[in-house]
Amino acid sequence: MKIKKILVSQPKPLSEKSPYFDLANKYGIEVVFRPFIRIEGLTSKEFRQAKIPINTHTAVIFTARTAVDHYFRLCKELSFKVPDTMKYFCVSETIAHYLQKYIIYRKRKIFYSETGHAEALLPLLAKHNKETYLYPISDVHDQKLHIPEDGSIKFTKAIMYRTVSNVIRNDEPFDYDMIILFTPSGVKSLIQSFPHFEQGNIALGAMGAKTIEEIKNSNLRLDLTTSPKAPSIAAAMDQYIAAHLEAPDEPRIEQERFKDPEPEPKPTPEPAPEPIPEPKVIEPEEEIKVEEKKAAPKAPAKKPAAKKATTAAKKPAAKKAPAKKATETKATTAKKTVETKATAAKKATTAKKTTTAKKATTAKATTTKKAATAKKTTKKTKE
């Protein structure tokens, strides 16, 4: 099948000097860039659950620029100030220069593989075996760096970000003749977007042992990959497109897309039961009135007269009550006045008795004095 449209599962290159743009201009084809996966960083709360103390490590290993971004992001969220004595070991010089975004670049603290391969970084790690290394990785990662776990190198793997699939929705056209995949997660995302994917005449290209293995495990056909004659995926694409320039067009297979699960219908609320009226309790008086109404329907006309009679009977009683009270008060006041008069008379009699007694005693005293003086005078005259 002649290749007219290619899907590359990567972000669009920022520079125009990309081999994909060269292929588009060379063969007059359309190249669409659409990542099948996206990266989400773990929150500080999620990272704390792993119980990995960042401050106990003296060096960091970086195998991707994404790991650099999320390491410094989490350090900021955890309020950990990265010390100036921290050492950095990078898998390539490109990643080492990327550190300038966060720190002052100093070669005596930054080490990287001269060849750009992860295996060349192991001798540097073994040389600084007194360091305690922190190795930031993704939840789904390929083992680029195989660090021996015999205890010669002290290191801790720390998951700081995760890989999430980008599902191709119904509003996106899917009319590609070639799909280029780079990660096992990209293969899984393709299957997730099209649960019953039929490859047919669609060419699949991939690079990386893990990605190729995932394609085979998904029962898909691998059409192109890197080789000694095509060391890059762009070179492999160039060879494949050139070999199929004269191929006749074949009808595409319409793929069954992923559909979001329909929300469960909300259960219709049952109608509220009608309130049962409470039984009315009839008082005895009301029962009597009801019976009177049934017995004599003209009774209601006599009610005002009965009311007047009762009110008239009550009014005199209400008037007499104050008269009784007045007589009672008069009697009590009269009793009080009699008592006060009696007490006053008693006081007067006692006062008269005391005065008479005093006068009698004074009269006796005067007579005795006169008799004494008379006796004295008679004795003097006789002498």
Side-chain angles (χ1 to χ4, degrees):
M1 180 180 180
K2 188 177 179 180
I3 306 300
K4 297 178 181 178
K5 191 174 182 180
I6 302 174
L7 174 62
V8 179
S9 59
Q10 275 189 345
K12 186 176 181 180
L14 299 176
S15 174
E16 294 294 333
K17 295 179 181 180
S18 171
Y20 300 111
F21 296 134
D22 296 338
L23 288 174
N25 296 328
K26 181 178 179 180
Y27 295 104
I29 59 178
E30 182 182 357
V31 180
V32 178
F33 298 92
R34 190 202 184 281
F36 275 14
I37 59 173
R38 68 178 187 273
I39 304 298
E40 287 184 355
L42 268 68
T43 62
S44 57
K45 183 179 180 181
E46 292 173 332
F47 184 75
R48 284 193 190 97
Q49 293 176 355
K51 297 181 180 180
I52 299 175
I54 296 180
N55 55 354
T56 59
H57 297 82
T58 57
V60 190
I61 302 170
F62 291 124
T63 56
R65 288 185 292 182
T66 309
V68 177
D69 293 332
H70 290 288
Y71 169 76
F72 285 99
R73 176 187 61 82
L74 279 175
C75 287
K76 185 177 180 181
E77 291 180 2
L78 295 170
S79 302
F80 171 67
K81 185 178 181 181
V82 182
D84 296 335
T85 57
M86 185 69 72
K87 294 181 180 180
Y88 305 95
F89 294 80
C90 305
V91 77
S92 66
E93 187 178 1
T94 305
I95 298 173
H97 285 292
Y98 186 72
L99 286 170
Q100 296 180 85
K101 183 178 178 182
Y102 299 99
I103 63 171
I104 298 172
Y105 191 83
R106 294 175 183 175
K107 288 186 178 180
R108 64 184 180 88
K109 294 181 182 178
I110 299 174
F111 308 89
Y112 56 86
S113 171
E114 295 291 341
T115 60
H117 294 89
E119 293 79 8
L121 190 62
L122 289 175
L124 291 173
L125 299 178
K127 184 179 179 180
H128 299 81
N129 56 3
K130 293 183 180 180
E131 306 293 340
T132 304
Y133 296 96
L134 183 69
Y135 185 14
I137 56 174
S138 171
D139 60 339
V140 181
H141 63 284
D142 51 352
Q143 294 289 338
K144 291 183 180 179
L145 185 62
H146 295 275
I147 304 175
E149 298 184 1
D150 55 359
S152 58
I153 300 174
K154 298 177 183 178
F155 71 98
T156 305
K157 289 182 180 180
I159 297 176
M160 293 188 174
Y161 52 98
R162 64 171 65 93
T163 305
V164 183
S165 298
N166 271 338
V167 179
I168 301 176
R169 302 293 179 182
N170 295 336
D171 55 348
E172 299 181 39
F174 191 82
D175 52 353
Y176 304 104
D177 304 310
M178 180 185 289
I179 302 172
I180 307 299
L181 303 168
F182 296 91
T183 60
S185 301
V187 181
K188 293 177 182 178
S189 178
L190 177 64
I191 301 301
Q192 186 177 354
S193 299
F194 305 98
H196 306 285
F197 181 75
E198 296 183 19
Q199 185 174 354
N201 51 18
I202 299 174
L204 283 183
M207 63 179 297
K210 294 288 184 180
T211 308
I212 294 171
E213 184 181 356
E214 186 65 31
I215 288 175
K216 292 179 179 179
N217 293 337
S218 301
N219 297 322
L220 299 176
R221 184 185 71 250
L222 180 68
D223 295 294
L224 63 135
T225 185
T226 56
S227 64
K229 292 183 180 180
S232 66
I233 192 67
M237 292 167 63
D238 192 357
Q239 290 181 0
Y240 189 88
I241 295 169
H244 291 78
L245 284 176
E246 302 299 329
D249 291 337
E250 297 178 10
R252 294 188 180 91
I253 299 173
E254 187 65 28
Q255 305 292 339
E256 185 179 348
R257 293 176 179 269
F258 168 80
K259 295 181 180 179
D260 292 325
E262 296 182 358
E264 296 181 359
K266 295 181 179 180
T268 54
E270 296 181 359
E274 295 182 359
I276 300 171
E278 295 182 359
K280 188 178 180 182
V281 180
I282 301 174
E283 298 294 333
E285 294 181 357
E286 294 181 358
E287 289 179 356
I288 294 166
K289 290 178 182 178
V290 171
E291 289 178 358
E292 288 178 355
K293 286 181 181 179
K294 289 180 179 179
K298 294 181 180 180
K302 295 179 180 180
K303 278 186 179 179
K307 287 182 180 178
K308 287 179 182 179
T310 52
T311 51
K314 289 178 181 178
K315 283 180 181 179
K319 287 180 181 179
K320 288 177 181 179
K324 288 180 180 180
K325 288 181 180 178
T327 53
E328 288 176 356
T329 51
K330 286 180 180 180
T332 51
T333 50
K335 287 180 180 179
K336 287 180 181 179
T337 50
V338 171
E339 288 176 356
T340 51
K341 287 179 180 180
T343 52
K346 286 179 181 179
K347 288 179 181 179
T349 52
T350 51
K352 285 179 180 180
K353 287 178 180 180
T354 51
T355 50
T356 53
K358 285 179 181 179
K359 287 179 180 180
T361 51
T362 50
K364 285 180 181 181
T366 49
T367 53
T368 51
K369 284 180 181 180
K370 286 179 179 180
T373 50
K375 285 180 180 180
K376 286 178 182 180
T377 50
T378 54
K379 284 180 180 180
K380 287 178 181 181
T381 51
K382 284 179 179 182
E383 292 176 355

